[in-house]
Amino acid sequence: MTRPLHIAPSILSADFAKLGEEVRAVDEAGADWIHIDVMDGHFVPNITFGPPVMASIRPVTKKTFDVHLMIAPADRYLEAFARAGADIITVHTEAGPHLDRSLQTVKALGKKAGVALNPATPVDHIKHVLDRLDLILIMTVNPGFGGQSFIPAMIDKIRETRDLVQGRDIDIEVDGGITAETAPLVVRAGANALVAGSAVFKGDAKAYGKNISLIRTGATTIAA
């Protein structure tokens, strides 16, 4: 099944001093989703923001809020992020012992459920929760910081994920080091949702449309 391509600018790379304006700018520039990286300084070595900040930018756009929780534990915060306007809530398989319970909670809150895998985590860790999933996020860098280089070994992991999904109604998302150059590699391997931070939020707001367009064009240039 061919799935729609989604470009999801990560606001981790936005100017936090004018976050609402930045979200509006990438919306108008052609973003499909808005990717929101939540970090706790515990599960990953950085801290970003929580539900109140997310709620403050929710009125700025009607685009899908793709919320990536790099926090542990995650369960106690799922309802807060749902109330703050998340459309997709992704938790890490490494963040707690009860992944199935976490995914059930997300679905019970009326949101799409995603699971993220760090680079060293095998794909088969999620084979028993596939029926709970709307999205699988393959980290193509180690989580915690923006601006890292793409890890080439993750191409095989994306292919393995595609083979595991086998046509189910699940988006395969990639996050880390996505540019116009790496986009065709991950799409060819099976990804259809691309998170890009520094590759989108470079230059001023007038450049965001071109930056997104370059990634989208690269992603659709998938000839071998």
Side-chain angles (χ1 to χ4, degrees), residues 22-218:
E22 291 277 74
V23 171
R24 183 178 292 109
V26 291
D27 180 342
E28 294 174 353
D32 300 301
W33 296 350
I34 306 298
H35 189 79
I36 300 175
D37 287 308
V38 180
M39 304 181 186
D40 64 358
H42 168 68
F43 181 68
V44 292
N46 205 348
I47 298 173
T48 53
F49 40 71
V53 171
M54 201 181 92
S56 75
I57 59 172
R58 179 68 276 190
V60 172
T61 178
K62 294 182 180 179
K63 295 289 175 67
T64 294
F65 267 16
D66 174 31
V67 181
H68 177 195
L69 299 183
M70 288 172 272
I71 64 177
D75 286 16
R76 69 182 65 166
Y77 302 104
L78 296 176
E79 184 174 359
F81 280 102
R83 289 182 179 274
D87 296 295
I88 306 168
I89 299 178
T90 297
V91 297
H92 270 260
T93 187
E94 310 90 357
H98 305 296
L99 178 60
D100 187 77
R101 178 187 297 164
S102 301
L103 298 172
Q104 286 190 60
T105 300
V106 172
K107 301 290 273 190
L109 289 166
K111 307 301 179 180
K112 290 187 174 182
V115 65
L117 298 170
N118 284 337
T121 302
V123 172
D124 65 7
H125 280 208
I126 61 171
K127 67 182 180 181
H128 296 300
V129 296
L130 285 176
D131 291 339
R132 307 279 190 204
L133 296 176
D134 299 290
L135 179 144
I136 299 169
L137 171 54
I138 303 299
M139 292 301 301
T140 43
V141 299
N142 288 293
F145 297 94
Q148 298 181 65
S149 297
F150 181 86
I151 300 174
M154 295 302 100
I155 294 295
D156 286 340
K157 190 172 184 178
I158 297 165
R159 291 193 189 102
E160 186 179 353
T161 303
R162 176 195 61 198
D163 293 344
L164 180 67
V165 166
Q166 292 185 340
R168 290 180 174 86
D169 188 16
I170 299 174
D171 289 307
I172 299 176
E173 185 172 49
V174 291
D175 183 357
I178 299 302
T179 64
E181 291 70 39
T182 57
L185 303 178
V186 299
V187 170
R188 188 182 302 133
N192 71 289
L194 312 185
V195 178
S198 54
V200 170
F201 290 98
K202 61 181 180 181
D204 58 23
K206 294 178 181 178
Y208 297 168
K210 180 180 179 181
N211 297 340
I212 291 172
S213 180
L214 287 171
I215 295 168
R216 195 181 302 278
T217 299

